[in-house]
């Protein structure tokens, strides 16, 4: 229906045409009352309103990536459609219009699905979660979207050596530069993510128990408040002992700075397709190669689900290839 620039959509399915006709007449009469159409449109806002409320009202930290994705979705035509009118066809057309690989499109679909999942029960916005689920099913089967591919990239000892020499040399030339050589070695042996590393504090470090409290550890269902004690291998403890106690944080740096430094160095040294997060993969796989069992590895990595650790159990070799690695001592000895 359209009246003085106000548009309203409503659908309902019937088994028999007479019943559908009777319902149409009844609804048209109800909507003819003064203010009825305008009142209904208040509770049937565009998708952009649902996105706005989700980002403003969610208690959890949704993360910068998800927030950016949702802001981008709000710029597409689908965001202007009233919630009740959005069908799987509209969602599929939106996903087809996105640039990037199917994995990227899959991430957009996943973040949009979180809006559809809560809009009706929380705000009474008429987004149909079934339409979203149907769209994702079609998009995956048609190759429009896919789940993110798992990375199996691991650094070689030669690549690590080159990175450490580069950062030690930079630190000697520029003392105020971040000691990336220490951050890299700690990430490798502790298996911690860059954001987790920057949140570690001296107060949460228990050297006598060889453990540390990781605050707000990443988890599929939780993030804020997911504080977890993890075991520290001896090599990680040695790196902590070599750090200066100038601030509350052991590594008082930003995750973005760590990533930028690492990426820039890899490009400069000609090291291809290596991410900082690959150090975590290497560290966990190393523990399995040393013969550790799943519960023992999980105590270090912080995994709640042992099933998720299976992807790290592909063994390249046995034993500890870092037993006599000079890179550890290089990181410890250089401030």
């Amino acid at each position: 229906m359209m009246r003085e620039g106000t548009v309203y959509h409503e659908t309902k399915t019937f088994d028999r045409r007479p019943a559908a006709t009777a319902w149409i007449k009844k609804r048209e009469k109800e909507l003819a009352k003064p203010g009825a159409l305008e009142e209904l449109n208040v509770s049937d806002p565009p998708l952009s309103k649902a996105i706005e409320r989700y980002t403003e009202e969610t208690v959890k930290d949704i993360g910068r990536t998800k927030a950016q994705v949702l802001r981008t979705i709000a710029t597409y035509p689908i965001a202007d459609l009233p919630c009740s009118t959005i069908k799987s066809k509209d969602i599929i057309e939106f996903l087809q219009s996105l640039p990037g690989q199917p994995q990227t499109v899959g991430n957009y679909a996943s973040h949009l699905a979180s809006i559809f999942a809560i809009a009706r029960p929380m705000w009474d916005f008429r987004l149909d979660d079934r339409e979203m689920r149907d769209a994702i099913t079609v998009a995956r089967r048609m190759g429009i979207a896919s789940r993110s591919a798992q990375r199996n990239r691991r650094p070689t000892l030669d690549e690590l050596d080159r990175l450490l020499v580069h950062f030690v040399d930079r630190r000697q030339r520029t003392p105020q530069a971040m000691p990336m050589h220490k951050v890299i070695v700690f990430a490798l042996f502790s298996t911690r993510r860059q954001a987790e590393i920057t949140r570690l504090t001296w107060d949460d470090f228990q050297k006598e128990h060889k453990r540390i409290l990781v605050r707000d550890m990443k988890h599929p269902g939780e993030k804020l408040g997911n504080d977890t004690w993890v075991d520290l291998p001896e090599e990680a403890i040695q790196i902590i002992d070599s750090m200066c106690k100038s601030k509350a944080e052991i590594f008082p740096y930003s995750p973005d700075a760590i990533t930028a430094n690492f990426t820039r160095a890899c490009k400069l040294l000609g090291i291809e397709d290596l991410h900082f997060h690959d150090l975590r993969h290497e560290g966990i796989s190393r523990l399995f190669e040393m013969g550790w069992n799943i519960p023992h590895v999980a105590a270090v990595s912080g995994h709640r689900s042992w099933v998720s650790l299976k992807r790290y159990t592909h063994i390249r070799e046995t034993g500890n290839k870092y037993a006599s690695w000079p890179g550890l001592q290089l990181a410890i000895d250089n401030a």
Side-chain angles (χ1 to χ4, degrees), residues 94-159:
F94 158 68
L95 295 178
Q96 288 177 315
S97 70
L98 290 171
Q101 298 297 315
Q103 292 90 341
T104 301
V105 177
N107 287 336
Y108 272 72
S110 176
H111 293 321
L112 181 58
S114 62
I115 306 292
F116 276 72
I118 71 165
R120 181 188 293 271
M122 188 166 185
W123 306 305
D124 198 27
F125 289 178
R126 286 176 289 171
L127 282 175
D128 193 336
D129 193 30
R130 293 171 301 179
E131 299 289 345
M132 188 72 229
R133 293 197 301 269
D134 288 346
I136 290 177
T137 298
V138 171
R140 285 178 177 165
R141 291 188 178 182
M142 298 299 291
I144 300 169
S146 68
R147 292 184 174 88
S148 296
Q150 292 184 340
R151 284 180 61 84
N152 291 316
R153 175 72 158 93
R154 294 172 58 180
T156 65
L157 284 173
D158 175 68
E159 289 172 335

Side-chain angles (χ1 to χ4, degrees), residues 40-59 62 70 83 111-127:
L40 281 169
N41 269 287
V42 170
S43 61
D44 189 24
L47 175 61
S48 58
K49 183 64 177 178
I51 294 174
E52 179 184 331
R53 291 198 62 171
Y54 180 85
T55 55
E56 289 179 353
E57 298 180 20
T58 183
V59 175
I62 63 175
L70 293 177
C83 289
H111 293 321
L112 181 58
S114 62
I115 306 292
F116 276 72
I118 71 165
R120 181 188 293 271
M122 188 166 185
W123 306 305
D124 198 27
F125 289 178
R126 286 176 289 171
L127 282 175

Side-chain angles (χ1 to χ4, degrees), residues 218-239:
K218 183 178 179 180
H219 183 265
E222 299 291 338
K223 187 173 182 182
L224 294 179
N226 184 35
D227 301 339
T228 305
W229 285 101
V230 296
D231 292 347
L232 287 171
E234 184 60 35
E235 298 90 344
I237 293 175
Q238 291 179 49
I239 294 296

Side-chain angles (χ1 to χ4, degrees), residues 85 122 217 263 287 309 318 327:
T85 69
M122 188 166 185
M217 181 182 287
T263 303
L287 298 178
L309 278 172
T318 57

